[in-house]
Amino acid sequence: MSQYLLNPRVQESYRDKFNFDASKNRNPLAFFLDTQFTFAALVQADKTDAARFENLIDINQANVKMFCENYERQLIAYLDKLNSDSQLNLLRTKIRQEAVDNINIALDKGQRVFDLTAPTGSGKTLILLSLANEILKSTRGILRIVYALPFLSITEQVEEEVLKIFADTKQYIQRIDSKSVNYEYEKLQDQLENQPNKQTQMERNLLDFREKTFAYPLVITTFVQFFETLLSNKNSELLKLPNLSNCIFLIDEIQSLPPRLYSFFVAYLSKFCQKFNCYAVISTATQPNFNIDGITLNGGNSRYLKIHPVFLLIIKSRTNCCY
């Protein structure tokens, strides 16, 4: 076989037949996304089969479904407990309701990428989670939520607040970054050290694999983990990619990225969301000034939520109707 593959004539024949010609590729971004996602799905399936996690897909789907079904109830219960009498909370509620009203207008038009610009202290975490709830209701789908933030200190803060809100289903929530701790994993590890057995080892390996593949209904993570997964060619990063389909991305503090990367990632996310049934809300308190003439939000006049300008440019070039 090796002699056959090393034969110059055979190599030349296959090179001529399967050589990629960039000049004939009319949509290189779609080609990249399809190729990367297909390979990532193959890598994940191979790892799943090798580890004998045959039931993992069914377990993941059941967990996401259970979390989504209880999402709105827990969120509303938490919001109802907040003190609505203070002037600050009244303003926060107004901003949140305005954003919710406007995302529903946009969702009715089939839009997928949105920009939330709200001042520091306005409660953007609750606003983002409320917008995710509106997306879940509008699509009637079973979607994971990935909450991405630039710094480890912020991921810890968001995790603390999210666990308070969704206390009844906290087993479906996991922070995944370089300093995160999975207490269930640590417990199993201790059991293995004191009393090794095959069943406990399998459970520990499964938890480790779930983290490596983002196989949780709600994941809180860093920009590094999130954006590297979207663009990586490494197997370790690509393991997460299949579980980024059918997702809601809540991306906070986007201004921490360099401006050139900010525009690139938003445009990239627009295409990714269209292709893999995802939605993205991109949030910041210091939005760059993107002026686009002639674009308004039909049916609403919000200072806080709008279709993202980069995405609007794409829509505008292809259709006659846009916000």
Side-chain angles (χ1 to χ4, degrees):
M1 177 62 73
S2 61
Q3 293 178 350
Y4 178 77
L5 293 176
L6 293 174
N7 187 301
R9 291 186 177 180
V10 173
Q11 291 180 351
E12 184 177 355
S13 174
Y14 276 87
R15 185 169 61 249
D16 292 341
K17 289 181 179 178
F18 297 102
N19 184 39
F20 174 71
D21 187 353
S23 64
K24 297 180 181 178
N25 186 359
R26 298 181 179 179
N27 197 333
L29 178 56
F31 178 83
F32 172 78
L33 287 171
D34 288 336
T35 303
Q36 184 201 41
F37 193 88
T38 302
F39 180 72
L42 177 63
V43 170
Q44 191 186 101
D46 181 58
K47 299 287 186 182
T48 303
D49 182 66
R52 297 184 178 179
F53 298 146
E54 295 88 354
N55 298 326
L56 183 59
I57 295 177
D58 293 336
I59 293 172
N60 287 340
Q61 290 178 344
N63 288 345
V64 175
K65 181 179 180 181
M66 181 66 69
F67 182 74
C68 291
E69 288 176 348
N70 290 277
Y71 186 96
E72 184 176 25
R73 174 184 60 80
Q74 294 180 91
L75 179 62
I76 292 177
Y78 183 83
L79 292 173
D80 289 343
K81 293 179 183 177
L82 298 178
N83 180 13
S84 60
D85 296 332
S86 69
Q87 186 174 358
L88 178 59
N89 280 342
L90 287 172
L91 180 58
R92 286 171 174 169
T93 301
K94 180 181 178 181
I95 294 173
R96 186 176 67 251
Q97 190 57 54
E98 189 172 332
V100 165
D101 292 342
N102 281 279
I103 200 172
N104 281 314
I105 296 170
L107 287 168
D108 288 343
K109 299 294 184 179
Q111 308 300 337
R112 290 181 178 269
V113 180
F114 315 97
D115 167 52
L116 173 68
T117 304
T120 301
S122 59
K124 286 197 293 295
T125 298
L126 281 175
I127 298 174
L128 287 171
L129 293 173
S130 297
L131 295 175
N133 182 53
E134 296 305 311
I135 294 172
L136 287 173
K137 289 195 299 182
S138 175
T139 60
R140 298 180 181 177
I142 300 174
L143 304 174
R144 299 178 192 272
I145 298 174
V146 177
Y147 201 132
L149 300 136
F151 310 117
L152 291 172
S153 59
I154 310 179
T155 63
E156 294 171 357
Q157 294 172 17
V158 170
E159 179 192 31
E160 184 178 356
E161 186 168 1
V162 168
L163 289 177
K164 289 179 182 178
I165 298 169
F166 302 104
D168 294 345
T169 52
K170 61 183 179 180
Q171 69 271 25
Y172 299 133
I173 300 167
Q174 184 61 43
R175 178 167 66 92
I176 301 175
D177 56 48
S178 60
K179 290 189 175 182
S180 61
V181 177
N182 188 323
Y183 293 103
E184 189 175 354
Y185 181 92
E186 296 294 325
K187 180 180 177 181
L188 291 172
Q189 184 64 33
D190 290 340
Q191 291 177 10
L192 278 175
E193 292 177 358
N194 297 323
Q195 205 171 22
N197 65 80
K198 188 175 181 180
Q199 180 62 32
T200 304
Q201 184 177 9
M202 180 67 76
E203 291 176 7
R204 184 203 61 178
N205 292 343
L206 178 60
L207 278 179
D208 181 58
F209 189 73
R210 288 179 66 189
E211 282 208 21
K212 290 179 178 177
T213 57
F214 276 11
Y216 285 88
L218 196 161
V219 171
I220 302 166
T221 192
T222 59
F223 279 5
V224 172
Q225 296 239 12
F226 177 66
F227 289 122
E228 281 190 354
T229 300
L230 288 177
L231 297 171
S232 180
N233 60 358
K234 298 179 180 178
N235 287 11
S236 59
E237 297 295 337
L238 287 175
L239 275 173
K240 308 180 186 76
L241 188 61
N243 285 335
L244 291 188
S245 62
N246 302 309
C247 268
I248 300 171
F249 304 129
L250 305 178
I251 305 173
D252 201 1
E253 307 293 347
I254 192 69
Q255 80 284 346
S256 63
L257 290 176
R260 59 186 179 83
L261 292 181
Y262 170 80
S263 300
F264 165 76
F265 277 126
V266 173
Y268 187 91
L269 272 174
S270 298
K271 188 65 176 178
F272 188 93
C273 289
Q274 292 174 28
K275 184 172 282 290
F276 299 113
N277 187 36
C278 297
Y279 297 82
V281 182
I282 300 160
S283 176
T284 177
T286 55
Q287 179 67 269
N289 184 20
F290 290 103
N291 290 321
I292 302 178
D293 294 334
I295 295 177
T296 58
L297 183 61
N298 295 335
N301 182 22
S302 176
R303 293 171 293 168
Y304 305 111
L305 183 80
K306 55 187 175 183
I307 310 301
H308 199 276
V310 175
F311 186 53
L312 274 175
L313 287 173
I314 297 171
I315 296 297
K316 188 176 181 182
S317 66
R318 295 184 180 178
T319 66
N320 294 323
C321 60
C322 59
Y323 288 101

